Amino acid sequence: MAFDPERVTASLTFDPDTLATLRREWLELLDLAVFGDVRSGKIGAVDRMRKRLLECGEGLRSLTNDRGWIPHPREQIKSSMGASMKLRDTLLGLERAAQSVDSGEDFSHFEKKLLGFRQRLMELIERHEHQWATLLDEQYIDADADENEDDQKNPDKPG
């Protein structure tokens, strides 16, 4: 069975208001991380956290890129899922790096902003991953149904 083009397009379309909010929050975090007063007792910890934060923004951009240039819907979905998994890993790296940041005048504000950003980002990721998984699962369910139908029509067919 072929993918429903409308459902594929819907699964690859991201809510512009959600993206605008995530982008604004990410920029605020980046501003706090670079120009704010956040510190760590470990040498290089703030720099690592800044790098992971930048990678997180790049991952968000990658996740939400237009995949219309990819000819087959299944490959569009697989590409999106790959970007989503990479973004999850990047977010985990950011969380680990941020654990070393533990002081500074802006620390508590940064921490709250990071937790809110993480929650909204994970909601976005999980919503779309669920849609993609459903679309892919339906392909296998339909393929199994077609095989069972063929088996019933041709019981002597070797399996």
Side-chain angles (χ1 to χ4, degrees):
M1 179 178 146
F3 284 97
D4 178 357
E6 289 178 17
R7 287 180 62 210
V8 171
T9 300
S11 76
L12 297 172
T13 302
F14 295 85
D15 176 55
D17 292 336
T18 301
L19 291 182
T21 299
L22 285 168
R23 183 177 180 183
R24 185 184 70 252
E25 290 176 344
W26 176 77
L27 286 169
E28 290 170 2
L29 282 168
L30 198 56
D31 184 61
L32 283 169
V34 174
F35 297 107
D37 183 22
V38 290
R39 297 183 216 148
S40 173
K42 297 180 181 179
I43 294 174
V46 175
D47 289 337
R48 278 190 297 280
M49 186 266 307
R50 288 177 184 145
K51 182 179 178 185
R52 298 296 174 254
L53 186 56
L54 182 59
E55 290 171 352
C56 200
E58 292 170 342
L60 177 59
R61 174 67 176 135
S62 176
L63 175 68
T64 60
N65 274 342
D66 177 27
R67 288 181 168 68
W69 62 272
I70 301 174
H72 195 277
R74 184 172 194 272
E75 298 306 315
Q76 291 174 349
I77 293 168
K78 286 173 54 180
S79 173
S80 295
M81 289 185 88
S84 180
M85 290 173 50
K86 186 170 193 269
L87 180 53
R88 279 178 177 267
D89 288 344
T90 302
L91 186 58
L92 182 60
L94 171 60
E95 290 169 347
R96 287 181 180 152
Q99 288 176 351
S100 296
V101 176
D102 55 8
S103 62
E105 195 173 302
D106 295 319
F107 169 69
S108 65
H109 183 61
F110 177 82
E111 187 177 43
K112 288 176 190 171
K113 286 278 190 193
L114 182 58
L115 291 172
F117 175 76
R118 182 204 179 281
Q119 179 183 353
R120 277 179 279 291
L121 183 56
M122 287 306 299
E123 287 170 1
L124 175 83
I125 289 170
E126 289 170 354
R127 180 173 42 252
H128 286 274
E129 283 180 347
H130 177 73
Q131 292 173 355
W132 299 326
T134 299
L135 286 166
L136 291 173
D137 286 346
E138 287 172 358
Q139 295 297 299
Y140 293 111
I141 291 168
D142 291 340
D144 288 345
D146 289 345
E147 278 185 27
N148 288 338
E149 199 174 288
D150 287 345
D151 290 345
Q152 289 175 359
K153 289 180 184 176
N154 301 318
D156 297 332
K157 179 180 161 187

